[in-house]
Amino acid sequence: MEDGCPHVVFYDSGRGILPAIRRFLNEGQMPDSDVHLMGLRIVRQIIIAHEGTISVTEDGQEIEVRFQPIKSGRDWQAGQNIFQ
């Protein structure tokens, strides 16, 4: 949780996310090349459907997912339990 918002950061210790995939995740621009995106397309759709954002750093080493603040007390408690 960060400022009442569910917030998750993933780190890639390898080569990082390919530039074509970064553009897709950051901007929604489909790559021209033959890149497998089915799983990431679904992930991006779910995040956007829940009014969240996903972004990848320029070097492709970090992916950040952020959602809107949790509003009700009951939802807040559920969120706290999930993200601890």
Side-chain angles (χ1 to χ4, degrees), residues 6-69:
H7 174 249
V8 182
V9 178
F10 301 93
Y11 299 96
D12 185 328
S13 61
R15 297 182 312 188
I17 306 298
L18 297 172
I21 296 174
R22 287 196 307 262
R23 279 190 299 278
F24 169 71
L25 291 173
N26 287 336
E27 304 162 16
Q29 178 184 346
M30 289 298 291
D32 295 331
S33 59
D34 186 26
V35 177
H36 178 71
L37 285 175
M38 184 57 72
L40 289 174
R41 288 178 67 185
I42 294 168
V43 167
R44 188 171 187 275
Q45 288 173 347
I46 291 169
I47 292 168
I48 291 171
H50 291 279
E51 300 180 15
T53 61
I54 184 169
S55 61
V56 182
T57 57
E58 191 173 320
D59 64 3
Q61 298 292 317
E62 187 175 310
I63 299 173
E64 178 181 36
V65 178
R66 181 181 297 271
F67 292 96
Q68 297 295 314

